[in-house]
Structures are given as structure tokens and as C-alpha cells.
Amino acid sequence: DAGVIQSPRHEVTEMGQEVTLRCKPISGHNSLFWYRQTMMRGLELLIYFNNNVPIDDSGMPEDRFSAKMPNASFSTLKIQPSEPRDSAVYFCASSYRLWGEAFFGQGTRLTVV
Amino acid sequence: KNEVEQSPQNLTAQEGEFITINCSYSVGISALHWLQQHPGGGIVSLFMLSSGKKKHGRLIATINIQEKHSSLHITASHPRDSAVYICAVAKNYGGSQGNLIFGKGTKLSVKP
């Protein structure tokens, strides 16, 4: 398996634009997690899914953030409208079971100017 | 006070030294994870443990549930071990929905 695949690897966008980050989990994994990493706050869990169902989105900072998992092999994290303070590295991870060993994607570095 | 505290924040060692990174937490947990983040940014899960001790090569992780403390040890450290090591705990399912809380990380630099 190729591991968790995230796209794009880098994204630069202007404030106010919509941004969509994509994640393909490892085949067979039931849980998917979206994280954000910044220098100030470190790693934070934004939302996680189990069997394609969102379980806890309390980490999503604002209503501008939304995440979907339409099927077991694909998830998106959308920011609309984006703001400069959203600049961070966004990681997606998947695991075979909830809170089992997690495998991380390479991350998407988002810069909002 | 953070629910997960790591120490030290920064650590510089000479190649070959034995290294210990500590993690203390204040909540009930179902599991504790140690992650490694390389300078390039990639994150790798090193250990997941809920009791006792695990060993992978030169890495050893221990956890003491009663004391709410975990340690990550690296024996015979090597410059390629230079990375940020992050402790994360999964809260008890009976608690606040099983969320994952991260420590701030320990930046390790091993000099040749």
C-alpha cells in the first residue's frame, strides 16, 4: 500500500478563497483523522471519522472549516473562506481501529496570504 | 496547565548517549502514543501502549498508569535520531468522547 496520500503537498491561496485538502487513507483502515500543526499550538486534532461517520468535530476551529468522508477511500477538509491565520500544515492519518496505531500522510502546507 | 506535558522541550546529545524523554498527563486515558516527526515534517507513529513496556530496535517506551507517566528511551543514539518526539494520549472512552491530546514535543538533536 502507498500509505496515506494527501494532496496537494503545498497550497498558497489568497485570503477569502476556498481551500480543499484531500486525503486517501490506507485501504482497510476504518478511522480517519485530520490534524493541524502550527508553531504556536503544535499538533491539534480537528475531526475524526470512524467507518466514514464523523465522531467528534469539537476540534474544528470555526464554521469556516468543514470535513466530509463520502466513502471509505476519500476525505476532504474544506476552509471557506480562508484567512491568514489558517496557515499551517494539515495532516491526515488513518488507523485500522479507533485510536490504534495511526499512519500519517505527508501533510499539506497551507499558506493563506 | 496542559493536560499533556513533555520534558525536556529541547535536548542535545552526543552520538552514543542514552536518551530519555518524559511525558506526564493528567487525564484518564485509554492509550498513549509516541510519534516522531522528522525535520522534513513527516510524522511516524513509534509506539502505542496502554500498559507496561514496548521495544522496537533501539527505542523503548514505558508507561506507568498509576503515576500517569510515560518515558521514551533511545539507546546508543545516532544523528539520524534527530527529530521532534511527540507524546499524545487518547482519553478514556467513558470520558470526553475519546479525543486525542498532544504534548508540545521534545526536539532532539544528536551530534556526531
Side-chain angles (χ1 to χ4, degrees):
Chain A
D1 200 309
V4 176
I5 300 173
Q6 290 186 247
S7 64
R9 290 293 308 277
H10 302 271
E11 176 81 28
V12 180
T13 191
E14 290 186 346
M15 183 173 64
Q17 295 297 307
E18 177 180 297
V19 175
T20 299
L21 310 182
R22 296 172 176 81
C23 176
K24 177 177 167 38
I26 291 174
S27 177
H29 281 190
N30 297 325
S31 300
L32 183 139
F33 309 83
W34 282 101
Y35 298 94
R36 178 172 69 175
Q37 186 176 39
T38 61
M39 289 294 293
M40 290 295 295
R41 300 173 67 91
L43 263 171
E44 301 173 283
L45 176 64
L46 299 178
I47 185 172
Y48 62 95
F49 296 82
N50 196 43
N51 295 321
N52 311 339
V53 176
I55 303 299
D56 186 351
D57 66 354
S58 59
M60 298 284 261
E62 298 173 35
D63 290 346
R64 298 183 295 107
F65 286 69
S66 63
K68 293 182 180 179
M69 191 164 186
N71 56 62
S73 59
F74 184 66
S75 178
T76 59
L77 178 67
K78 185 178 294 186
I79 308 172
Q80 164 71 25
S82 57
E83 295 183 5
R85 60 196 166 110
D86 302 331
S87 298
V89 180
Y90 290 82
F91 287 98
C92 175
S94 71
S95 63
Y96 178 68
R97 60 182 173 87
L98 195 59
W99 309 126
E101 181 184 6
F103 295 81
F104 284 76
Q106 287 297 99
T108 295
R109 182 173 294 277
L110 174 65
T111 303
V112 183
V113 298
Chain B
K1 189 180 188 301
N2 292 331
E3 291 174 296
V4 180
E5 296 275 3
Q6 284 186 239
S7 63
Q9 282 189 309
N10 293 283
L11 180 57
T12 300
Q14 287 298 126
E15 183 173 356
E17 285 185 357
F18 180 83
I19 289 164
T20 296
I21 299 170
N22 296 299
C23 176
S24 295
Y25 53 92
S26 58
V27 295
I29 69 169
S30 57
L32 182 144
H33 300 252
W34 281 103
L35 309 173
Q36 179 191 55
Q37 185 167 29
H38 288 283
I43 297 175
V44 174
S45 176
L46 298 175
F47 294 103
M48 184 191 72
L49 63 166
S50 54
S51 65
K53 174 180 169 179
K54 287 191 176 179
K55 183 176 189 293
H56 289 159
R58 295 180 295 105
L59 302 178
I60 303 166
T62 63
I63 188 168
N64 185 318
I65 296 295
Q66 287 73 29
E67 294 186 3
K68 295 187 174 175
H69 181 268
S70 175
S71 293
L72 177 68
H73 305 286
I74 305 175
T75 61
S77 60
H78 190 276
R80 65 174 176 267
D81 297 326
S82 299
V84 175
Y85 293 83
I86 302 168
C87 171
V89 301
K91 282 187 175 181
N92 270 334
Y93 294 120
S96 62
Q97 302 174 3
N99 211 338
L100 198 62
I101 308 168
F102 294 88
K104 297 293 186 188
T106 295
K107 185 174 182 180
L108 171 66
S109 178
V110 182
K111 306 294 186 187

